[in-house]
Amino acid sequence: MFSRKNLQLVTCCLLSVAVTLGAVTWKVQEITGDAAGTLRFLRTMSIVKNNFDGKVDNSILFDGAIDGMVRSLGDPYSAYLDKENFAKLSEMTEGSFGGIGIVFGKRGDDYVVISALPDNPGAIAGIKSGDIILAVDGVETRSMNMTEVANKIRGKQGTEVVLQLQTNDGSKKDVKVVRRDIKTPSVGGQMLPDSKIGYIRITVFNEETGADFKKTYEQLQAEGMQATILDLRGNPGGILDGGVAVARMLVPKGPIVSLVYRNGDKYVENSSLEQVKYPLAVLVDHGTASAAEIVAGAVKDTGAGRLFGVKTFGKGSVQGVYRIDNDTAVKITTARYYTPSGVSIHNVGIEPDVNVELPEGATTDVQLQSAEEYLQQKLRQE
């Protein structure tokens, strides 16, 4: 790794070479591989610095070069994180960030809402899982990458943002949302009325999820829980370690998830749980993604419980964040993950064991009802 001093030295050397190259002629076609690319890059910097009719800021040039490098990968989940974006990512993983409280992903050319977090501005304004974000404040999203879309939606608390959406029925609408600080309490739970079934909802996986889930789980045990409903509907995922920590309390000894890197290296997260303690039902929907799918996939493949709802979103790639210096980083897709049975769900999703649609405007949560009936039957059999 480079220290800040070393980074400055390397930068100065590159600039020196770039200026020198302005007086050098060569035939690029005679140079192959990485050397040709490096010379093209330095030649371009020399041309810009020596010929642009305006002020040239070296730091902006380097930011642009790094951003373009990562964009060229063609992966919607990889991005250059400048100082502002890196700070925002840190806020999100710590459980508090500014915006309207929605999480979105990319399907084809479309930015699709994975989840509108409950009790946050987006959900209150009527934004729903499956909505396609066509424009933000009049700017079409197809002209932006994911980071740019997210940054345009976020803004100062109390200000307004307008999203043009295409809903599931194909109609278009504009939704005005007032931004505020977004709080994402990760885990909540209670005993269902007149039953021995504990209900736990995880809205997102952050740094506190594992500890919060353990605390909630043990509290419900103390209240007499003998079966568990885990609600992962609308959960867009988050930190991989949070999903693994939850799965370790629910699935039996053996693999939870396998990460396979481009060079074929494989890393497996395992559970050491000797025995599944309670009958388990997991609620999933189209907004269940990423780390939430890791938990759902582990439960389904190991037989630790049954999945109720509709097919999940299908984000089966893993991103790593690599610091460039103290203030910037790159977020890069580093691996695909596979469920215990060896299945990649990327762009495919997980089919529930029991398919239960939740009708638009339903007054009864039929998915929850179906899971509860299943667990009541399991308890009667024991």
Side-chain angles (χ1 to χ4, degrees):
M1 293 181 65
F2 290 116
S3 66
R4 181 179 288 273
K5 182 178 179 181
N6 287 336
L7 282 169
Q8 291 171 341
L9 177 62
V10 171
T11 299
C12 290
C13 290
L14 285 173
L15 291 175
S16 176
V17 172
V19 172
T20 303
L21 283 173
V24 177
T25 60
W26 71 92
K27 293 183 179 180
V28 172
Q29 64 266 28
E30 295 176 357
I31 306 171
T32 60
D34 291 343
T38 301
L39 288 173
R40 287 171 57 224
F41 170 77
L42 295 174
R43 175 71 172 171
T44 302
M45 282 198 65
S46 174
I47 292 170
V48 170
K49 289 179 66 64
N50 293 329
N51 297 283
F52 177 65
D53 182 21
K55 183 179 178 181
V56 177
D57 186 316
N58 288 336
S59 65
I60 292 176
L61 285 182
F62 280 110
D63 275 354
I66 299 168
D67 182 53
M69 187 188 307
V70 178
R71 283 175 187 258
S72 72
L73 299 174
D75 174 29
Y77 297 106
S78 295
Y80 168 55
L81 305 174
D82 60 17
K83 184 175 181 179
E84 180 183 0
N85 290 326
F86 186 46
K88 287 179 178 178
L89 178 68
S90 299
E91 290 173 2
M92 288 179 65
T93 58
E94 290 166 4
S96 175
F97 55 96
I100 65 173
I102 66 169
V103 181
F104 61 90
K106 196 168 188 182
R107 280 206 185 115
D109 294 327
D110 295 326
Y111 291 103
V112 182
V113 176
I114 299 173
S115 174
L117 302 177
D119 302 320
N120 279 293
I124 293 170
I127 298 175
K128 297 180 180 179
S129 174
D131 287 347
I132 297 172
I133 305 171
L134 301 176
V136 182
D137 285 339
V139 180
E140 291 188 2
T141 56
R142 289 198 176 193
S143 66
M144 297 182 272
N145 64 26
M146 287 187 69
T147 300
E148 290 169 334
V149 175
N151 287 341
K152 194 157 185 66
I153 292 173
R154 295 180 190 136
K156 186 178 179 181
Q157 183 178 358
T159 60
E160 186 179 81
V161 62
V162 179
L163 272 63
Q164 185 185 45
L165 304 173
Q166 180 176 306
T167 61
N168 287 326
D169 64 5
S171 62
K172 297 179 181 179
K173 64 178 181 179
D174 288 342
V175 177
K176 296 181 180 179
V177 191
V178 177
R179 302 178 178 99
R180 65 173 172 82
D181 284 343
I182 303 302
K183 304 297 181 183
T184 56
S186 180
V187 183
Q190 63 182 33
M191 294 297 293
L192 293 182
D194 303 319
S195 77
K196 297 177 181 178
I197 300 173
Y199 169 86
I200 302 176
R201 174 162 173 74
I202 304 178
T203 57
V204 68
F205 287 91
N206 59 36
E207 293 173 351
E208 307 301 323
T209 301
D212 289 346
F213 180 81
K214 185 175 185 293
K215 181 179 179 181
T216 302
Y217 191 81
E218 291 175 347
Q219 176 61 42
L220 295 180
Q221 283 186 115
E223 295 178 26
M225 178 174 70
Q226 294 183 18
T228 309
I229 292 177
L230 177 61
D231 193 345
L232 297 178
R233 293 175 296 182
N235 184 320
I239 294 178
L240 173 70
D241 290 347
V244 170
V246 169
R248 283 187 174 135
M249 296 187 64
L250 298 175
V251 304
K253 182 184 291 186
I256 293 170
V257 62
S258 300
L259 277 65
V260 179
Y261 296 85
R262 72 171 188 175
N263 62 0
D265 285 352
K266 186 176 182 180
Y267 177 74
V268 182
E269 292 280 8
N270 289 289
S271 170
S272 59
L273 188 66
E274 291 294 338
Q275 186 176 355
V276 177
K277 192 162 188 179
Y278 304 117
L280 173 66
V282 180
L283 303 179
V284 297
D285 65 7
H286 301 314
T288 305
S290 191
E293 289 176 293
I294 287 176
V295 177
V299 168
K300 181 177 181 179
D301 281 9
T302 63
R306 302 188 78 183
L307 272 53
F308 293 78
V310 294
K311 188 166 74 169
T312 63
F313 183 80
K315 182 183 180 293
S317 62
V318 179
Q319 285 70 46
V321 177
Y322 299 86
R323 284 180 180 269
I324 298 174
D325 54 26
N326 289 337
D327 299 320
T328 64
V330 287
K331 182 180 70 169
I332 300 291
T333 295
T334 57
R336 292 286 179 96
Y337 76 72
Y338 294 79
T339 65
S341 63
V343 174
S344 170
I345 57 87
H346 193 61
N347 292 330
V348 176
I350 301 172
E351 291 284 354
D353 297 292
V354 181
N355 193 284
V356 186
E357 295 278 352
L358 186 62
E360 186 75 23
T363 56
T364 301
D365 189 341
V366 291
Q367 293 171 336
L368 175 61
Q369 187 179 65
S370 180
E372 186 177 1
E373 289 172 354
Y374 161 73
L375 291 178
Q376 292 286 16
Q377 183 180 4
K378 292 285 288 185
L379 289 174
R380 286 194 295 268
Q381 292 171 352
E382 292 183 352

